[in-house]
Amino acid sequence: MLVVRPAGPADFDALMELAVLSGPGFTSLPEDEPTLRERLEVSQASFRGELAPLECWYTLMLEDAETGQIDGVAGVKAAVGVKRPFFSFRVVGLTQYSANLGLKFDHKALVLVNECSGWSEVGSLFLKAEKRTGGAGRLLAQSRYMLIGSDPQRFSENVLAELRGWFEEDGSCPFWEHVAAKFFHMPFGEADRMSAASDGQFILDLAPRHPIYVELLPEPARRVIGNVHREGEAARALLEREGFRATGLVDIFDAGPTVACPRDEIRTVRDSRRLVVRLVDALDHATPSLVSVDDIENFRATRAAVTVEDEQVLMTRDVADLLRVKGGDLVRVKA
């Protein structure tokens, strides 16, 4: 069985392997040892309640309970833009009109904004290729919302997700090469690493201050604005199923789209129920459901066959052992 559990310093080797597999453009998983080690330290402190709520960054690992192998990672940031700006480009419409000529022109422009400060972010969703079928990705993605649902007040009323932008088969990023690189004058990989590992001051120093007219950009850059990486389509579908919608914001490096949803309207947060565990030897009529521990410090989640009766959830001992709960404990259930 697969289980989603908190990540800590002992998971470094597994996280580095996933970072290598994720490839370019996955900013939250850089192939940088100090950054990944710090992230795991922050994750452990976040789950233990040792950090201020807005500073928490919860990292989750998808583990095969039988082999102990780590197959995926995901994360939830309690708040973005608190200690460093959270820049995006907003795609805006501009209209120009000449009364003398009787002509009107509609333009699009990219405007640098910092609109999402204080919002929570779900991200870092990545699975090994061989695990991207059979519901593992959905389990990992929904576990983030079960975590939020276990203590909503730790998170913002608005939740966003950034999707990786378009890269060509050869690894090049059209938007970076034709637009962003003109301002940052460094390879994409270096900017990506600095974005994850630094305080982001270089973005504040170098990012464009004035609108960029989309019509003036080369066609390869224009056509990828707001496009999702070929490996990100499944992630976008999962987000849309939860209620996330486009915001009109795109990433300043690769022009990948930002989507968002009010916290309490996220489908899994809204529809999951807090129930009391009741242990049984067997179940006659069970329903496959998402089940998680309703406590952030001891958070674990899995998909298992259970039965809901009134305010109780009936589960077998193997499921309870996987979640490390006992009869009478509170769990959160989403059918």
Side-chain angles (χ1 to χ4, degrees):
M1 294 181 69
L2 296 175
V3 64
V4 178
R5 60 159 179 82
D11 293 306
F12 171 75
D13 289 341
L15 188 60
M16 177 58 81
E17 179 187 8
L18 293 169
V20 172
L21 291 173
S22 68
F26 215 102
T27 305
S28 59
L29 284 179
E31 296 178 43
D32 183 75
E33 179 174 347
T35 300
L36 294 183
R37 289 195 182 278
E38 180 183 11
R39 176 172 176 178
L40 291 170
E41 294 283 354
V42 169
S43 176
Q44 183 179 75
S46 298
F47 279 104
R48 290 178 175 177
E50 297 171 353
L51 298 178
L54 294 181
E55 297 177 10
C56 290
W57 186 359
Y58 306 90
T59 298
L60 298 164
M61 308 303 277
L62 178 69
E63 180 180 315
D64 186 314
E66 294 182 4
T67 65
Q69 178 175 298
I70 302 300
D71 294 320
V73 61
V76 183
K77 283 185 180 179
V80 300
V82 176
K83 287 192 171 182
R84 48 172 287 177
F86 187 82
F87 287 121
S88 306
F89 280 134
R90 174 162 289 286
V91 183
V92 300
L94 302 174
T95 299
Q96 292 179 289
Y97 176 72
S98 171
N100 290 338
L101 297 178
L103 296 176
K104 185 181 79 167
F105 298 96
D106 294 319
H107 301 280
K108 286 185 178 180
L110 303 175
V111 179
L112 188 71
V113 297
N114 181 25
E115 297 181 5
C116 300
S117 292
W119 290 23
S120 295
E121 179 185 18
V122 292
S124 305
L125 182 66
F126 182 78
L127 290 90
K128 293 179 179 177
E130 63 272 21
K131 292 294 181 179
R132 294 174 190 170
T133 58
R138 186 181 178 198
L139 166 62
L140 185 55
Q142 287 185 295
S143 295
R144 300 174 301 182
Y145 314 127
M146 297 293 270
L147 179 73
I148 292 172
S150 67
D151 194 349
Q153 298 311 310
R154 291 198 188 197
F155 303 93
S156 170
E157 293 182 358
N158 293 297
V159 181
L160 67 87
E162 290 189 299
L163 288 157
R164 181 162 37 161
W166 185 259
F167 284 72
E168 303 294 356
E169 293 284 0
D170 63 4
S172 62
C173 177
F175 187 82
W176 173 263
E177 293 184 359
H178 293 289
V179 184
K182 308 300 183 185
F183 298 95
F184 295 100
H185 298 282
M186 64 182 74
F188 179 92
E190 183 178 351
D192 196 37
R193 180 190 61 78
M194 290 182 61
S195 177
S198 73
D199 62 2
Q201 182 62 41
F202 81 103
I203 298 176
L204 188 63
D205 294 337
L206 301 177
R209 293 291 190 274
H210 302 289
I212 300 172
Y213 281 81
V214 172
E215 285 85 350
L216 299 180
L217 300 179
E219 191 277 336
R222 293 200 306 271
R223 64 178 168 81
V224 301
I225 294 173
N227 285 5
V228 177
H229 191 281
R230 63 185 63 80
E231 294 183 1
E233 288 295 346
R236 176 165 67 177
L238 289 171
L239 287 161
E240 290 177 346
R241 186 181 301 174
E242 292 289 339
F244 285 78
R245 296 292 181 263
T247 60
L249 301 173
V250 299
D251 184 79
I252 65 171
F253 288 169
D254 62 22
T258 296
V259 296
C261 184
R263 178 196 63 205
D264 298 336
E265 294 180 19
I266 297 173
R267 184 176 180 182
T268 296
V269 174
R270 183 192 65 208
D271 295 347
S272 58
R273 297 177 57 194
R274 183 178 293 172
L275 302 171
V276 177
V277 173
R278 177 180 158 197
L279 298 180
V280 295
D281 294 328
L283 292 169
D284 294 328
H285 304 287
T287 301
S289 302
L290 183 65
V291 187
S292 68
V293 178
D294 197 49
D295 171 41
I296 285 185
E297 184 172 354
N298 300 300
F299 184 83
R300 292 171 74 87
T302 192
R303 188 169 295 280
V306 298
T307 299
V308 173
E309 290 185 356
D310 298 323
E311 299 303 312
Q312 293 185 324
V313 56
L314 283 58
M315 67 177 64
T316 55
R317 294 183 185 278
D318 59 332
V319 175
D321 290 344
L322 187 64
L323 293 172
R324 298 181 182 175
V325 296
K326 60 184 184 300
D329 287 346
L330 285 174
V331 294
R332 185 166 291 274
V333 179
K334 165 69 169 62

